[in-house]
Amino acid sequence: MTSQTAFETEIASLLIEALDLEDMSAQDIDPTEPLFGEGLGLDSIDALEIALAISQKYGIQMKAEEEQTKEAFYNLQSLCAFIEQRR
């Protein structure tokens, strides 16, 4: 497993809270593993929950129709990069 940066840990904690993943800790999320499908196994409803949590905490809008948003949801690293670019 790849180690997390402080910001990746912060966002992983946000994912755990937003998705109610009670049996996981932020450190359980590998920053390079996919969030959807075979990775964490998230689905489109989870994506909406994540987008809402990011909007509430950071004031960043994630629009489903934008290619950058789709790319941001690939893994924890890409999600963190997306947020950092827009803060």
PDB file of all heavy atoms in Angstrom, residues 54-84:
ATOM      1  N   ILE A  54     -17.573  17.286  -0.412  1.00  0.00           N
ATOM      2  CA  ILE A  54     -16.499  18.178  -0.865  1.00  0.00           C
ATOM      3  C   ILE A  54     -17.035  19.590  -1.052  1.00  0.00           C
ATOM      4  O   ILE A  54     -16.386  20.565  -0.680  1.00  0.00           O
ATOM      5  CB  ILE A  54     -15.855  17.626  -2.146  1.00  0.00           C
ATOM      6  CG1 ILE A  54     -15.039  16.370  -1.797  1.00  0.00           C
ATOM      7  CG2 ILE A  54     -14.981  18.678  -2.835  1.00  0.00           C
ATOM      8  CD1 ILE A  54     -14.555  15.595  -2.987  1.00  0.00           C
ATOM      9  N   SER A  55     -18.227  19.699  -1.591  1.00  0.00           N
ATOM     10  CA  SER A  55     -18.847  21.011  -1.785  1.00  0.00           C
ATOM     11  C   SER A  55     -19.069  21.703  -0.444  1.00  0.00           C
ATOM     12  O   SER A  55     -18.779  22.890  -0.290  1.00  0.00           O
ATOM     13  CB  SER A  55     -20.174  20.852  -2.526  1.00  0.00           C
ATOM     14  OG  SER A  55     -20.854  22.077  -2.597  1.00  0.00           O
ATOM     15  N   GLN A  56     -19.566  20.958   0.535  1.00  0.00           N
ATOM     16  CA  GLN A  56     -19.844  21.531   1.849  1.00  0.00           C
ATOM     17  C   GLN A  56     -18.565  21.930   2.582  1.00  0.00           C
ATOM     18  O   GLN A  56     -18.516  22.972   3.221  1.00  0.00           O
ATOM     19  CB  GLN A  56     -20.647  20.544   2.694  1.00  0.00           C
ATOM     20  CG  GLN A  56     -22.066  20.383   2.215  1.00  0.00           C
ATOM     21  CD  GLN A  56     -22.814  19.291   2.959  1.00  0.00           C
ATOM     22  OE1 GLN A  56     -22.230  18.407   3.577  1.00  0.00           O
ATOM     23  NE2 GLN A  56     -24.131  19.338   2.889  1.00  0.00           N
ATOM     24  N   LYS A  57     -17.535  21.111   2.484  1.00  0.00           N
ATOM     25  CA  LYS A  57     -16.308  21.380   3.239  1.00  0.00           C
ATOM     26  C   LYS A  57     -15.386  22.382   2.545  1.00  0.00           C
ATOM     27  O   LYS A  57     -14.774  23.212   3.202  1.00  0.00           O
ATOM     28  CB  LYS A  57     -15.551  20.081   3.498  1.00  0.00           C
ATOM     29  CG  LYS A  57     -14.304  20.314   4.327  1.00  0.00           C
ATOM     30  CD  LYS A  57     -13.826  19.080   5.008  1.00  0.00           C
ATOM     31  CE  LYS A  57     -12.636  19.451   5.896  1.00  0.00           C
ATOM     32  NZ  LYS A  57     -12.441  18.555   6.966  1.00  0.00           N
ATOM     33  N   TYR A  58     -15.285  22.293   1.224  1.00  0.00           N
ATOM     34  CA  TYR A  58     -14.304  23.107   0.494  1.00  0.00           C
ATOM     35  C   TYR A  58     -14.922  24.129  -0.451  1.00  0.00           C
ATOM     36  O   TYR A  58     -14.203  24.917  -1.052  1.00  0.00           O
ATOM     37  CB  TYR A  58     -13.353  22.199  -0.292  1.00  0.00           C
ATOM     38  CG  TYR A  58     -12.583  21.265   0.596  1.00  0.00           C
ATOM     39  CD1 TYR A  58     -12.944  19.928   0.714  1.00  0.00           C
ATOM     40  CD2 TYR A  58     -11.507  21.717   1.356  1.00  0.00           C
ATOM     41  CE1 TYR A  58     -12.246  19.067   1.536  1.00  0.00           C
ATOM     42  CE2 TYR A  58     -10.808  20.869   2.190  1.00  0.00           C
ATOM     43  CZ  TYR A  58     -11.185  19.542   2.276  1.00  0.00           C
ATOM     44  OH  TYR A  58     -10.504  18.694   3.107  1.00  0.00           O
ATOM     45  N   GLY A  59     -16.243  24.080  -0.637  1.00  0.00           N
ATOM     46  CA  GLY A  59     -16.902  25.024  -1.525  1.00  0.00           C
ATOM     47  C   GLY A  59     -16.597  24.781  -2.995  1.00  0.00           C
ATOM     48  O   GLY A  59     -16.688  25.687  -3.818  1.00  0.00           O
ATOM     49  N   ILE A  60     -16.246  23.549  -3.340  1.00  0.00           N
ATOM     50  CA  ILE A  60     -15.890  23.189  -4.713  1.00  0.00           C
ATOM     51  C   ILE A  60     -17.034  22.406  -5.335  1.00  0.00           C
ATOM     52  O   ILE A  60     -17.493  21.408  -4.766  1.00  0.00           O
ATOM     53  CB  ILE A  60     -14.603  22.334  -4.725  1.00  0.00           C
ATOM     54  CG1 ILE A  60     -13.437  23.156  -4.181  1.00  0.00           C
ATOM     55  CG2 ILE A  60     -14.305  21.815  -6.121  1.00  0.00           C
ATOM     56  CD1 ILE A  60     -12.197  22.345  -3.913  1.00  0.00           C
ATOM     57  N   GLN A  61     -17.489  22.851  -6.482  1.00  0.00           N
ATOM     58  CA  GLN A  61     -18.552  22.161  -7.201  1.00  0.00           C
ATOM     59  C   GLN A  61     -17.957  21.111  -8.132  1.00  0.00           C
ATOM     60  O   GLN A  61     -17.033  21.397  -8.887  1.00  0.00           O
ATOM     61  CB  GLN A  61     -19.388  23.150  -8.014  1.00  0.00           C
ATOM     62  CG  GLN A  61     -20.108  24.185  -7.167  1.00  0.00           C
ATOM     63  CD  GLN A  61     -21.085  23.564  -6.188  1.00  0.00           C
ATOM     64  OE1 GLN A  61     -21.867  22.695  -6.549  1.00  0.00           O
ATOM     65  NE2 GLN A  61     -21.020  23.992  -4.941  1.00  0.00           N
ATOM     66  N   MET A  62     -18.485  19.907  -8.070  1.00  0.00           N
ATOM     67  CA  MET A  62     -18.046  18.828  -8.956  1.00  0.00           C
ATOM     68  C   MET A  62     -19.205  18.515  -9.886  1.00  0.00           C
ATOM     69  O   MET A  62     -20.210  17.966  -9.460  1.00  0.00           O
ATOM     70  CB  MET A  62     -17.638  17.602  -8.138  1.00  0.00           C
ATOM     71  CG  MET A  62     -16.515  17.896  -7.159  1.00  0.00           C
ATOM     72  SD  MET A  62     -15.945  16.439  -6.282  1.00  0.00           S
ATOM     73  CE  MET A  62     -14.843  15.750  -7.521  1.00  0.00           C
ATOM     74  N   LYS A  63     -19.054  18.887 -11.144  1.00  0.00           N
ATOM     75  CA  LYS A  63     -20.125  18.701 -12.127  1.00  0.00           C
ATOM     76  C   LYS A  63     -19.923  17.397 -12.886  1.00  0.00           C
ATOM     77  O   LYS A  63     -18.876  17.175 -13.483  1.00  0.00           O
ATOM     78  CB  LYS A  63     -20.161  19.889 -13.072  1.00  0.00           C
ATOM     79  CG  LYS A  63     -20.452  21.181 -12.332  1.00  0.00           C
ATOM     80  CD  LYS A  63     -20.453  22.364 -13.244  1.00  0.00           C
ATOM     81  CE  LYS A  63     -20.747  23.610 -12.407  1.00  0.00           C
ATOM     82  NZ  LYS A  63     -20.394  24.823 -13.069  1.00  0.00           N
ATOM     83  N   ALA A  64     -20.948  16.556 -12.865  1.00  0.00           N
ATOM     84  CA  ALA A  64     -20.865  15.219 -13.450  1.00  0.00           C
ATOM     85  C   ALA A  64     -20.512  15.243 -14.933  1.00  0.00           C
ATOM     86  O   ALA A  64     -19.847  14.336 -15.428  1.00  0.00           O
ATOM     87  CB  ALA A  64     -22.182  14.479 -13.243  1.00  0.00           C
ATOM     88  N   GLU A  65     -20.925  16.278 -15.633  1.00  0.00           N
ATOM     89  CA  GLU A  65     -20.703  16.316 -17.078  1.00  0.00           C
ATOM     90  C   GLU A  65     -19.275  16.721 -17.460  1.00  0.00           C
ATOM     91  O   GLU A  65     -18.883  16.576 -18.614  1.00  0.00           O
ATOM     92  CB  GLU A  65     -21.713  17.250 -17.764  1.00  0.00           C
ATOM     93  CG  GLU A  65     -21.601  18.711 -17.385  1.00  0.00           C
ATOM     94  CD  GLU A  65     -22.355  19.095 -16.112  1.00  0.00           C
ATOM     95  OE1 GLU A  65     -22.947  18.224 -15.457  1.00  0.00           O
ATOM     96  OE2 GLU A  65     -22.323  20.289 -15.771  1.00  0.00           O
ATOM     97  N   GLU A  66     -18.494  17.179 -16.512  1.00  0.00           N
ATOM     98  CA  GLU A  66     -17.131  17.608 -16.805  1.00  0.00           C
ATOM     99  C   GLU A  66     -16.163  16.427 -16.760  1.00  0.00           C
ATOM    100  O   GLU A  66     -16.170  15.643 -15.815  1.00  0.00           O
ATOM    101  CB  GLU A  66     -16.676  18.686 -15.822  1.00  0.00           C
ATOM    102  CG  GLU A  66     -17.399  19.995 -16.003  1.00  0.00           C
ATOM    103  CD  GLU A  66     -16.937  21.066 -15.020  1.00  0.00           C
ATOM    104  OE1 GLU A  66     -15.963  20.831 -14.268  1.00  0.00           O
ATOM    105  OE2 GLU A  66     -17.562  22.131 -15.007  1.00  0.00           O
ATOM    106  N   GLU A  67     -15.324  16.322 -17.774  1.00  0.00           N
ATOM    107  CA  GLU A  67     -14.355  15.235 -17.853  1.00  0.00           C
ATOM    108  C   GLU A  67     -13.393  15.252 -16.664  1.00  0.00           C
ATOM    109  O   GLU A  67     -13.022  14.205 -16.136  1.00  0.00           O
ATOM    110  CB  GLU A  67     -13.570  15.324 -19.163  1.00  0.00           C
ATOM    111  CG  GLU A  67     -12.710  14.115 -19.437  1.00  0.00           C
ATOM    112  CD  GLU A  67     -13.474  12.804 -19.566  1.00  0.00           C
ATOM    113  OE1 GLU A  67     -14.622  12.812 -20.062  1.00  0.00           O
ATOM    114  OE2 GLU A  67     -12.921  11.772 -19.159  1.00  0.00           O
ATOM    115  N   GLN A  68     -13.006  16.441 -16.212  1.00  0.00           N
ATOM    116  CA  GLN A  68     -12.092  16.550 -15.072  1.00  0.00           C
ATOM    117  C   GLN A  68     -12.701  15.944 -13.808  1.00  0.00           C
ATOM    118  O   GLN A  68     -11.992  15.381 -12.989  1.00  0.00           O
ATOM    119  CB  GLN A  68     -11.715  18.008 -14.824  1.00  0.00           C
ATOM    120  CG  GLN A  68     -10.811  18.583 -15.885  1.00  0.00           C
ATOM    121  CD  GLN A  68     -10.526  20.054 -15.632  1.00  0.00           C
ATOM    122  OE1 GLN A  68     -11.391  20.770 -15.128  1.00  0.00           O
ATOM    123  NE2 GLN A  68      -9.337  20.497 -15.978  1.00  0.00           N
ATOM    124  N   THR A  69     -14.004  16.068 -13.659  1.00  0.00           N
ATOM    125  CA  THR A  69     -14.667  15.482 -12.494  1.00  0.00           C
ATOM    126  C   THR A  69     -14.596  13.962 -12.573  1.00  0.00           C
ATOM    127  O   THR A  69     -14.301  13.299 -11.585  1.00  0.00           O
ATOM    128  CB  THR A  69     -16.136  15.946 -12.411  1.00  0.00           C
ATOM    129  OG1 THR A  69     -16.152  17.363 -12.260  1.00  0.00           O
ATOM    130  CG2 THR A  69     -16.857  15.306 -11.237  1.00  0.00           C
ATOM    131  N   LYS A  70     -14.852  13.413 -13.748  1.00  0.00           N
ATOM    132  CA  LYS A  70     -14.782  11.956 -13.917  1.00  0.00           C
ATOM    133  C   LYS A  70     -13.378  11.449 -13.601  1.00  0.00           C
ATOM    134  O   LYS A  70     -13.210  10.442 -12.924  1.00  0.00           O
ATOM    135  CB  LYS A  70     -15.181  11.572 -15.337  1.00  0.00           C
ATOM    136  CG  LYS A  70     -16.638  11.834 -15.638  1.00  0.00           C
ATOM    137  CD  LYS A  70     -16.961  11.580 -17.085  1.00  0.00           C
ATOM    138  CE  LYS A  70     -18.363  12.060 -17.396  1.00  0.00           C
ATOM    139  NZ  LYS A  70     -18.648  12.074 -18.819  1.00  0.00           N
ATOM    140  N   GLU A  71     -12.372  12.166 -14.077  1.00  0.00           N
ATOM    141  CA  GLU A  71     -10.984  11.781 -13.818  1.00  0.00           C
ATOM    142  C   GLU A  71     -10.651  11.914 -12.334  1.00  0.00           C
ATOM    143  O   GLU A  71      -9.880  11.113 -11.794  1.00  0.00           O
ATOM    144  CB  GLU A  71     -10.032  12.644 -14.652  1.00  0.00           C
ATOM    145  CG  GLU A  71     -10.141  12.379 -16.134  1.00  0.00           C
ATOM    146  CD  GLU A  71      -9.400  13.402 -16.984  1.00  0.00           C
ATOM    147  OE1 GLU A  71      -8.723  14.290 -16.433  1.00  0.00           O
ATOM    148  OE2 GLU A  71      -9.506  13.299 -18.217  1.00  0.00           O
ATOM    149  N   ALA A  72     -11.217  12.903 -11.671  1.00  0.00           N
ATOM    150  CA  ALA A  72     -10.946  13.134 -10.245  1.00  0.00           C
ATOM    151  C   ALA A  72     -11.386  11.956  -9.388  1.00  0.00           C
ATOM    152  O   ALA A  72     -10.766  11.661  -8.369  1.00  0.00           O
ATOM    153  CB  ALA A  72     -11.640  14.414  -9.775  1.00  0.00           C
ATOM    154  N   PHE A  73     -12.426  11.274  -9.791  1.00  0.00           N
ATOM    155  CA  PHE A  73     -12.960  10.173  -9.002  1.00  0.00           C
ATOM    156  C   PHE A  73     -12.217   8.860  -9.211  1.00  0.00           C
ATOM    157  O   PHE A  73     -12.618   7.837  -8.679  1.00  0.00           O
ATOM    158  CB  PHE A  73     -14.451   9.966  -9.295  1.00  0.00           C
ATOM    159  CG  PHE A  73     -15.335  10.915  -8.531  1.00  0.00           C
ATOM    160  CD1 PHE A  73     -16.061  11.880  -9.197  1.00  0.00           C
ATOM    161  CD2 PHE A  73     -15.449  10.834  -7.166  1.00  0.00           C
ATOM    162  CE1 PHE A  73     -16.882  12.755  -8.510  1.00  0.00           C
ATOM    163  CE2 PHE A  73     -16.267  11.698  -6.457  1.00  0.00           C
ATOM    164  CZ  PHE A  73     -16.984  12.657  -7.135  1.00  0.00           C
ATOM    165  N   TYR A  74     -11.113   8.871  -9.973  1.00  0.00           N
ATOM    166  CA  TYR A  74     -10.399   7.617 -10.225  1.00  0.00           C
ATOM    167  C   TYR A  74      -9.833   7.015  -8.941  1.00  0.00           C
ATOM    168  O   TYR A  74     -10.079   5.860  -8.623  1.00  0.00           O
ATOM    169  CB  TYR A  74      -9.284   7.800 -11.258  1.00  0.00           C
ATOM    170  CG  TYR A  74      -8.545   6.513 -11.486  1.00  0.00           C
ATOM    171  CD1 TYR A  74      -9.179   5.446 -12.126  1.00  0.00           C
ATOM    172  CD2 TYR A  74      -7.267   6.325 -11.003  1.00  0.00           C
ATOM    173  CE1 TYR A  74      -8.536   4.239 -12.291  1.00  0.00           C
ATOM    174  CE2 TYR A  74      -6.608   5.120 -11.169  1.00  0.00           C
ATOM    175  CZ  TYR A  74      -7.250   4.081 -11.811  1.00  0.00           C
ATOM    176  OH  TYR A  74      -6.609   2.877 -11.958  1.00  0.00           O
ATOM    177  N   ASN A  75      -9.067   7.810  -8.202  1.00  0.00           N
ATOM    178  CA  ASN A  75      -8.504   7.314  -6.942  1.00  0.00           C
ATOM    179  C   ASN A  75      -8.337   8.479  -5.963  1.00  0.00           C
ATOM    180  O   ASN A  75      -8.651   9.626  -6.297  1.00  0.00           O
ATOM    181  CB  ASN A  75      -7.195   6.541  -7.153  1.00  0.00           C
ATOM    182  CG  ASN A  75      -6.085   7.373  -7.758  1.00  0.00           C
ATOM    183  OD1 ASN A  75      -6.045   8.597  -7.629  1.00  0.00           O
ATOM    184  ND2 ASN A  75      -5.154   6.719  -8.433  1.00  0.00           N
ATOM    185  N   LEU A  76      -7.857   8.178  -4.793  1.00  0.00           N
ATOM    186  CA  LEU A  76      -7.702   9.199  -3.753  1.00  0.00           C
ATOM    187  C   LEU A  76      -6.722  10.288  -4.203  1.00  0.00           C
ATOM    188  O   LEU A  76      -6.962  11.469  -3.981  1.00  0.00           O
ATOM    189  CB  LEU A  76      -7.246   8.550  -2.448  1.00  0.00           C
ATOM    190  CG  LEU A  76      -7.098   9.465  -1.234  1.00  0.00           C
ATOM    191  CD1 LEU A  76      -8.423  10.158  -0.906  1.00  0.00           C
ATOM    192  CD2 LEU A  76      -6.593   8.670  -0.040  1.00  0.00           C
ATOM    193  N   GLN A  77      -5.633   9.889  -4.851  1.00  0.00           N
ATOM    194  CA  GLN A  77      -4.644  10.867  -5.326  1.00  0.00           C
ATOM    195  C   GLN A  77      -5.265  11.845  -6.315  1.00  0.00           C
ATOM    196  O   GLN A  77      -5.054  13.050  -6.215  1.00  0.00           O
ATOM    197  CB  GLN A  77      -3.458  10.168  -5.992  1.00  0.00           C
ATOM    198  CG  GLN A  77      -2.497   9.555  -5.030  1.00  0.00           C
ATOM    199  CD  GLN A  77      -1.330   8.879  -5.722  1.00  0.00           C
ATOM    200  OE1 GLN A  77      -1.402   8.520  -6.895  1.00  0.00           O
ATOM    201  NE2 GLN A  77      -0.256   8.687  -4.984  1.00  0.00           N
ATOM    202  N   SER A  78      -6.029  11.336  -7.283  1.00  0.00           N
ATOM    203  CA  SER A  78      -6.627  12.214  -8.294  1.00  0.00           C
ATOM    204  C   SER A  78      -7.696  13.113  -7.675  1.00  0.00           C
ATOM    205  O   SER A  78      -7.834  14.268  -8.064  1.00  0.00           O
ATOM    206  CB  SER A  78      -7.196  11.404  -9.466  1.00  0.00           C
ATOM    207  OG  SER A  78      -8.178  10.491  -9.034  1.00  0.00           O
ATOM    208  N   LEU A  79      -8.425  12.608  -6.695  1.00  0.00           N
ATOM    209  CA  LEU A  79      -9.436  13.410  -6.010  1.00  0.00           C
ATOM    210  C   LEU A  79      -8.771  14.551  -5.237  1.00  0.00           C
ATOM    211  O   LEU A  79      -9.222  15.698  -5.294  1.00  0.00           O
ATOM    212  CB  LEU A  79     -10.271  12.535  -5.083  1.00  0.00           C
ATOM    213  CG  LEU A  79     -11.485  13.168  -4.423  1.00  0.00           C
ATOM    214  CD1 LEU A  79     -12.467  13.706  -5.460  1.00  0.00           C
ATOM    215  CD2 LEU A  79     -12.184  12.161  -3.524  1.00  0.00           C
ATOM    216  N   CYS A  80      -7.683  14.252  -4.562  1.00  0.00           N
ATOM    217  CA  CYS A  80      -6.948  15.277  -3.816  1.00  0.00           C
ATOM    218  C   CYS A  80      -6.365  16.328  -4.750  1.00  0.00           C
ATOM    219  O   CYS A  80      -6.435  17.538  -4.464  1.00  0.00           O
ATOM    220  CB  CYS A  80      -5.844  14.652  -2.989  1.00  0.00           C
ATOM    221  SG  CYS A  80      -6.467  13.714  -1.582  1.00  0.00           S
ATOM    222  N   ALA A  81      -5.821  15.908  -5.880  1.00  0.00           N
ATOM    223  CA  ALA A  81      -5.261  16.842  -6.853  1.00  0.00           C
ATOM    224  C   ALA A  81      -6.343  17.757  -7.386  1.00  0.00           C
ATOM    225  O   ALA A  81      -6.130  18.972  -7.525  1.00  0.00           O
ATOM    226  CB  ALA A  81      -4.590  16.066  -7.995  1.00  0.00           C
ATOM    227  N   PHE A  82      -7.524  17.216  -7.662  1.00  0.00           N
ATOM    228  CA  PHE A  82      -8.664  18.011  -8.162  1.00  0.00           C
ATOM    229  C   PHE A  82      -9.025  19.088  -7.153  1.00  0.00           C
ATOM    230  O   PHE A  82      -9.207  20.256  -7.509  1.00  0.00           O
ATOM    231  CB  PHE A  82      -9.854  17.061  -8.408  1.00  0.00           C
ATOM    232  CG  PHE A  82     -11.084  17.755  -8.906  1.00  0.00           C
ATOM    233  CD1 PHE A  82     -11.305  17.908 -10.268  1.00  0.00           C
ATOM    234  CD2 PHE A  82     -12.053  18.237  -8.027  1.00  0.00           C
ATOM    235  CE1 PHE A  82     -12.459  18.535 -10.738  1.00  0.00           C
ATOM    236  CE2 PHE A  82     -13.201  18.850  -8.480  1.00  0.00           C
ATOM    237  CZ  PHE A  82     -13.398  19.005  -9.851  1.00  0.00           C
ATOM    238  N   ILE A  83      -9.118  18.712  -5.876  1.00  0.00           N
ATOM    239  CA  ILE A  83      -9.503  19.669  -4.830  1.00  0.00           C
ATOM    240  C   ILE A  83      -8.413  20.725  -4.663  1.00  0.00           C
ATOM    241  O   ILE A  83      -8.722  21.924  -4.589  1.00  0.00           O
ATOM    242  CB  ILE A  83      -9.768  18.938  -3.501  1.00  0.00           C
ATOM    243  CG1 ILE A  83     -10.987  18.013  -3.636  1.00  0.00           C
ATOM    244  CG2 ILE A  83      -9.974  19.928  -2.361  1.00  0.00           C
ATOM    245  CD1 ILE A  83     -11.145  17.021  -2.497  1.00  0.00           C
ATOM    246  N   GLU A  84      -7.170  20.307  -4.613  1.00  0.00           N
ATOM    247  CA  GLU A  84      -6.071  21.260  -4.422  1.00  0.00           C
ATOM    248  C   GLU A  84      -5.992  22.277  -5.555  1.00  0.00           C
ATOM    249  O   GLU A  84      -5.683  23.453  -5.321  1.00  0.00           O
ATOM    250  CB  GLU A  84      -4.747  20.522  -4.270  1.00  0.00           C
ATOM    251  CG  GLU A  84      -4.630  19.848  -2.923  1.00  0.00           C
ATOM    252  CD  GLU A  84      -3.341  19.078  -2.720  1.00  0.00           C
ATOM    253  OE1 GLU A  84      -2.801  18.513  -3.701  1.00  0.00           O
ATOM    254  OE2 GLU A  84      -2.864  19.059  -1.583  1.00  0.00           O
TER     255      GLU A  84
END
